[in-house]
Amino acid sequence: MAGVWIIAEQRDGEFRKITYEVASAAKKVADELGAEVTAVVLGSGMQDACAELGKYGVAKVLYADDAALATYTTDGYTNAAAALIKDGAPDVVLFGASTQGKDLGGRLAARLDTGIAVDCTALAVEGGKMVATRPIYAGKVYADVIINGSPQIASLRPNVFDVVESGGEAAVEAVSADAGEIKAAVAEVQASEEGKIDLTEATVIVSGGRGMKEADNFALLEELAGKLNAAVGASRSAVDAGWRSHTDQVGQTGKVVTPNLYIACGISGAIQHLAGMGSSKVIVAINKDPDAPIHTKADYCVISDLFDVVPELTKEI
Ligand SMILES: Cc1cc2nc3c(=O)[nH]c(=O)nc-3n(C[C@H](O)[C@H](O)[C@H](O)COP(=O)(O)OP(=O)(O)OC[C@H]3O[C@@H](n4cnc5c(N)ncnc54)[C@H](O)[C@@H]3O)c2cc1C
């Protein structure tokens, strides 16, 4: 059994939370397969950080230290990861269905001539094969997918898999992995405002839709979000109206989020919006229309005017 590999995700030399989620999920799959977890780390100056992955169940880290891999590029990461995977021949390769993972996944699967299950929300093992559960038809149906090719590749939806501390230090092996020709490089990184919480990593999200009426009214949501240490999201209508940036959009053509708490304010709950937040653990809908579809998905329905409820809620908190 060649084992379960993960491709770690780092930014500026620090692992992202999704890496720990993927490592923890990989450990469970590996235990059921009677295998070990190996992490591929592509980056620069991360030697010390690598061993820490052991805490999350990683037995071994293959660390390719290369300035060309310090920042993610589609070509560099595909070339380097594909070469290592061809060499090590793992049975399973897992990584996050983050922006990076979504970019890398298809390219990597094509390069390795195998299949990929994207945006998975559960993993199991049956008959020595990984079974990946993933949403289809904008989340209306969940499909159990078995990939016949090798390795079986799956990307995991952020914030769905628990981070589990199960080990100590991982053995770190320095490897060389050629980034090859990088045809498209990152020209500039425009970081979001200091202190702004990334929607895909937020545990609480307060979102606003067309019911917010105008851009300035989002200050109400910012205030509530400040009290809850939450990120502020938006429906596509709010984004199309120019009230919020596209990076705030939640949904099928925006971000897929899975916070512990999602508070939808003045959002009707169109299928394309639900596709992005439907797997949130607790959903609160504040909408004055009792027939709004969001109420069929919400755990708590506040059928009232958001301009009365939100300030009151902020005051209470
Ligand atoms: C291909 C495609 C992709 C799409 N992708 C996305 C996507 O990624 N994300 C997304 O969100 N949408 C997406 N959409 C658009 C989607 O279909 C809806 O049009 C959109 O989600 C509606 O946004 P909304 O709920 O803010 O607005 P509306 O549907 O207009 O709903 C506004 C809601 O606010 C309530 N309201 C109004 N005033 C108040 C008040 N004072 N207090 C309380 N409630 C109030 C109303 O009762 C209403 O339910 C997509 C559509 C297509 C075709």
Side-chain angles (χ1 to χ4, degrees):
M1 182 63 61
V4 177
W5 284 24
I6 67 164
I7 299 175
E9 183 166 334
Q10 54 91 9
R11 193 177 292 167
D12 299 329
E14 282 183 21
F15 291 117
R16 312 216 70 198
K17 180 171 165 254
I18 183 69
T19 299
Y20 307 133
E21 294 170 11
V22 173
S24 305
K27 172 73 173 139
K28 273 196 185 164
V29 172
D31 283 349
E32 288 191 50
L33 288 172
E36 286 197 326
V37 180
T38 299
V40 171
V41 177
L42 307 174
S44 185
M46 296 190 62
Q47 180 72 28
D48 293 342
C50 283
E52 279 181 31
L53 289 178
K55 234 200 271 179
Y56 308 98
V58 172
K60 184 174 168 186
V61 177
L62 300 178
Y63 174 44
D65 190 335
D66 186 338
L69 298 169
T71 305
Y72 174 79
T73 59
T74 316
D75 294 316
Y77 271 51
T78 306
N79 294 337
L84 290 170
I85 292 167
K86 275 184 186 162
D87 200 38
D91 303 287
V92 170
V93 176
L94 303 174
F95 44 85
S98 55
T99 308
Q100 176 179 311
K102 282 176 183 162
D103 187 68
L104 178 69
R107 178 80 61 114
L108 190 61
R111 185 72 61 86
L112 296 168
D113 196 20
T114 186
I116 179 170
V118 299
D119 207 20
C120 299
T121 53
L123 298 175
V125 172
E126 274 173 32
K129 280 272 196 186
M130 180 179 70
V131 182
T133 304
R134 60 174 301 263
I136 54 174
Y137 303 125
K140 272 205 174 268
V141 182
Y142 282 77
D144 286 343
V145 180
I146 296 178
I147 293 156
N148 288 321
S150 182
Q152 293 187 285
I153 301 186
S155 65
L156 311 189
R157 180 176 280 197
N159 270 344
V160 169
F161 294 86
D162 292 334
V163 173
V164 182
E165 294 195 15
S166 61
E169 281 209 349
V172 182
E173 184 185 329
V175 292
S176 66
D178 190 3
E181 188 192 353
I182 297 175
K183 296 182 205 121
V186 178
E188 187 194 352
V189 176
Q190 294 187 346
S192 53
E193 295 153 38
E194 187 92 29
K196 191 170 169 183
I197 300 164
D198 188 332
L199 268 183
T200 57
E201 292 191 354
T203 51
V204 182
I205 295 175
V206 180
S207 248
R210 205 196 307 266
M212 295 306 298
K213 309 239 183 306
E214 58 182 80
D216 287 350
N217 290 337
F218 270 83
L220 286 175
L221 305 191
E222 298 280 1
E223 211 182 324
L224 176 58
K227 299 270 184 221
L228 293 167
N229 196 25
V232 176
S235 72
R236 177 156 158 183
S237 299
V239 170
D240 285 351
W243 302 342
R244 301 298 290 183
S245 136
H246 178 66
T247 54
D248 294 347
Q249 186 179 315
V250 172
Q252 190 182 322
T253 43
K255 291 192 171 132
V256 175
V257 297
T258 323
N260 292 336
L261 174 63
Y262 188 91
I263 306 179
C265 306
I267 294 177
S268 61
I271 180 82
Q272 296 90 353
H273 189 79
L274 298 178
M277 45 61 76
S279 44
S280 303
K281 294 185 183 84
V282 174
I283 299 170
V284 176
I286 305 173
N287 192 312
K288 62 183 181 184
D289 176 5
D291 296 323
I294 189 85
H295 294 310
T296 63
K297 200 78 185 169
D299 300 282
Y300 297 92
C301 308
V302 185
I303 299 167
S304 194
D305 192 314
L306 73 92
F307 294 101
D308 297 331
V309 175
V310 174
E312 205 54 45
L313 194 56
T314 308
K315 208 165 82 190
E316 280 296 318
I317 290 165

